[in-house]
């Protein structure tokens, strides 16, 4: 297995996470050269609006520190010299952290969240903070105070959400990996729409300490990369017991990279065919999905029909629960502790004015909905019922896993849609989460990997989702790596980038 395609050798921004880390360790390239190459890619890709904040000088200084340590013979971490971006939901000391919201404008955290600390301890070099839907609420990265993120494959399309900035930056070779968060699909869906890999770990595999909370019982952090094996390496550096999060499991971290080499022989992949019925599923997505199943079958996997009887209740359940939790979590933004304050005649009036001015429309909608479902008169009818349906959804998965090792589906029912297309219709936006919310409701590990392109209209990437049993990222990674070994989809790059890296464009 080669780590770098021969035609990509000259361009450091095409290298994988593993190739970069290996090359820094062997002295083949310096962290400084890698960082400079990627900062230039950030300049070239500015029109995608993927970044909310860049920290070029910090990154250069960090790279120089790593190069000096290497020169002294010190061992670098597993991600030594590898650049990354963080979704701007991760708290970073001394670097503005906004959650994509005006209500946190100007907030510079006095501490680092555990995610940033772990990445730095592993030697990764932070280049900046990536755009997201406000407080991670959305599926298109259009719920932003500034410019919406563009899909690198077609700039008039959305990048997906809420981690659109992260997925676009990785797809466009601005960083080899990013950390993002997934409450109902926000790692996997933008990864699918941008043609990259997005991994949501089991709930509790990765800390939430230092991640701005949206819906605490659903939120998980994970990597967006260009290959399954890179996702495994980053997850290995990110996972593990956390002093700051009691829901983070206190178990040794499995060898996720090793899991990718297990092979697919003997593994059973479950498919819920009923979930593919209906006209919501795009025809090109359907074709690509069934082609991916054939790839898996050829790789030695046994396909098994399964049922997920409550899957069609997932979206409604998810939106009740996430709104309820969001309304509670976002109560802390009152203008007294963080961010700008709109001063009015009383404390109450100031809080009201601050929140009205600071939150965008989608966040206000969720706070209102969440407050409604939690009020005493409606609690049992909405929140209590949704909590019980959540259990049914989770039990469906456990029952299905008695018959299969991993469950496959499309990641998103449609490829990247046009910017502005769904803004007037929140329900259409929410229905795009139909395949992803189940894994969050049940706390299961899930990954999206590239599995093809649309054949009609503009050439847009399509994602295959694989969901594993609780704590069995290893099985999911084995199947995902098997698919990756048998296909070339993950080597495809957005069209403009081919132009940019051609000799005529002057790149080295
Ligand atoms: N699209 C979903 C929502 O809007 C999921 C978001 C997420 O995973 N953060 O809530």
């Amino acid at each position: 297995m080669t780590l770098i395609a021969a035609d990509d050798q000259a361009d450091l921004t095409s290298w994988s996470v593993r190739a970069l880390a290996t090359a820094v360790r062997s002295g083949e390239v310096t962290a400084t050269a890698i960082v400079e190459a990627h900062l230039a890619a950030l300049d070239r890709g500015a029109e995608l609006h993927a970044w909310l904040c860049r920290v070029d000088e910090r990154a250069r200084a960090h790279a120089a520190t790593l190069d000096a340590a290497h020169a002294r013979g010190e061992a670098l971490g597993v991600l030594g010299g590898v650049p990354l971006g963080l979704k701007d939901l991760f708290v970073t000391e001394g670097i503005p952290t906004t959650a994509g919201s005006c209500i946190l404008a100007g907030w510079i955290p006095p501490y680092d969240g555990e995610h940033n600390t772990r990445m730095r301890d592993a030697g990764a070099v932070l280049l900046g903070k990536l755009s997201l839907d406000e407080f991670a609420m959305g599926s298109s990265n259009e719920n932003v105070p500034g410019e919406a993120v563009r899909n690198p494959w077609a700039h008039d399309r959305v990048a997906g959400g809420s981690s659109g900035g992260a997925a676009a930056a990785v797809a466009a070779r601005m960083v080899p990996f990013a950390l993002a968060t997934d409450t109902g699909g926000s790692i996997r869906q933008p990864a699918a729409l941008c043609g990259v890999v997005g991994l949501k770990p089991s709930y509790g595999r990765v800390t939430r300490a230092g991640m701005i909370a949206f819906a605490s019982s659903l939120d998980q952090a994970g990597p967006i990369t260009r290959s399954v094996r890179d996702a495994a390496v980053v997850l290995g550096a990110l996972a593990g017991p956390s002093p700051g999060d009691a829901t983070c499991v206190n178990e040794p971290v499995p060898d996720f990279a090793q899991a990718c080499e297990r092979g697919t022989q003997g593994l059973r992949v479950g498919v819920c065919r009923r979930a593919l019925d209906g006209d919501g599923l795009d025809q090109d997505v359907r074709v690509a999905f069934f082609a991916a199943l054939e790839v898996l079958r050829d790789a030695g996997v046994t396909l098994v029909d399964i049922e997920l009887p409550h899957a069609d209740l997932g979206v409604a359940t998810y939106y009740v629960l996430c709104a309820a939790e969001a309304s509670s979590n976002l109560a802390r933004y009152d203008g007294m502790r963080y961010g700008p304050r709109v001063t009015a005649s009383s404390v109450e009036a100031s809080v009201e004015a601050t929140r009205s001015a600071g939150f965008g429309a989608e966040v206000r909608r969720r706070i209102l909905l969440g407050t409604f479902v939690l009020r005493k008169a409606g609690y049992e009818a909405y929140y209590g019922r949704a909590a019980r349906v959540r259990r049914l959804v989770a039990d469906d998965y456990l029952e299905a896993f008695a018959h299969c090792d991993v469950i496959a589906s499309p990641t998103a029912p449609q490829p990247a849609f046009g910017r502005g297309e769904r803004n007037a219709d929140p329900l259409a936006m929410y229905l795009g989460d139909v395949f992803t919310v189940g894994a969050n409701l049940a706390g299961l590990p899930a990954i999206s990997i590239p599995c093809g392109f649309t054949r009609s209209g503009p050439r847009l990437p399509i994602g295959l989702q694989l969901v594993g049993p609780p704590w069995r990222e290893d099985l999911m990674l084995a199947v995902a790596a098997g698919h990756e070994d048998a296909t070339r989809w993950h080597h495809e790059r957005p069209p403009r980038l081919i132009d940019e890296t051609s000799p005529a464009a002057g790149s080295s």
Side-chain angles (χ1 to χ4, degrees), residues 123-398:
V125 180
L126 181 67
L127 300 193
K129 308 294 288 290
L130 291 156
S131 184
L132 70 161
D133 283 301
E134 186 177 2
F135 283 100
M137 298 178 195
S139 308
S140 65
N141 218 136
E142 293 171 293
N143 298 333
V144 292
E147 288 279 348
V149 178
R150 270 65 164 164
N151 190 305
W153 294 88
H155 289 197
D156 58 343
R157 305 279 169 144
V158 302
S162 63
S163 315
V170 173
R173 272 60 178 168
M174 295 193 235
V175 271
F177 83 99
L179 292 191
T181 67
D182 191 309
T183 305
S186 278
I187 289 177
R188 292 159 285 158
Q189 185 257 19
L193 270 46
C194 291
V196 291
V197 172
L199 191 161
K200 181 200 92 74
S202 303
Y203 185 81
R205 178 67 85 191
V206 169
T207 183
R208 288 180 296 109
M211 189 170 115
I212 293 176
F214 162 14
S216 308
S217 78
L218 300 156
D219 297 341
Q220 267 294 288
I224 293 183
T225 58
R226 290 192 293 266
S227 75
V228 172
R229 288 176 174 84
D230 276 0
V233 168
V234 176
L235 179 60
L238 188 62
S242 160
D245 176 5
T247 66
C248 187
V249 70
N250 204 7
E251 297 280 336
V253 180
D255 188 339
F256 297 118
Q258 188 54 41
C260 296
E261 312 309 329
R262 177 203 178 277
T264 48
Q265 284 298 334
L267 292 179
R268 300 158 302 165
V269 171
V271 180
C272 177
R273 290 181 194 267
R274 204 164 57 95
L276 307 171
D277 292 346
D279 48 14
L281 186 61
D282 177 90
Q283 187 55 21
D284 286 343
V285 172
R286 182 187 297 274
V287 169
F289 173 64
F290 282 106
L293 292 184
E294 286 313 312
V295 168
L296 292 176
R297 200 206 299 269
D298 289 346
V301 151
T302 307
L303 299 178
V304 185
D305 281 334
I306 54 142
E307 290 295 333
L308 295 170
H310 300 92
D312 51 346
L313 301 178
V315 170
T317 308
Y318 165 80
Y319 276 93
V320 169
L321 295 176
C322 81
E325 294 188 32
S327 71
S328 166
N329 272 327
L330 271 58
R332 74 191 71 175
Y333 304 105
D334 53 12
M336 303 297 144
R337 286 167 283 191
Y338 339 75
R341 177 185 311 163
V342 181
T343 309
S345 53
S346 65
V347 173
E348 288 78 11
S350 295
V351 170
E352 190 180 322
T354 299
R355 286 170 66 85
S356 300
F359 289 132
E362 181 62 24
V363 173
R364 288 202 301 271
R365 181 182 295 125
R366 306 247 185 145
I367 292 172
L368 289 175
L369 178 64
T371 310
F372 177 81
V373 301
L374 286 177
R375 82 204 197 288
K376 195 157 178 249
Y379 184 90
E380 261 314 307
Y382 294 102
Y383 182 80
R385 186 177 294 181
R388 287 194 293 279
V389 177
R390 177 182 195 168
R391 169 51 51 201
L392 297 176
V393 170
D395 286 348
D396 283 354
Y397 278 100
L398 296 183

Side-chain angles (χ1 to χ4, degrees), residues 4-20:
I4 316 152
D7 55 339
D8 288 344
Q9 289 273 4
D11 178 12
L12 288 171
T13 65
S14 292
W15 290 28
S16 69
V17 169
R18 290 158 307 135
L20 290 168

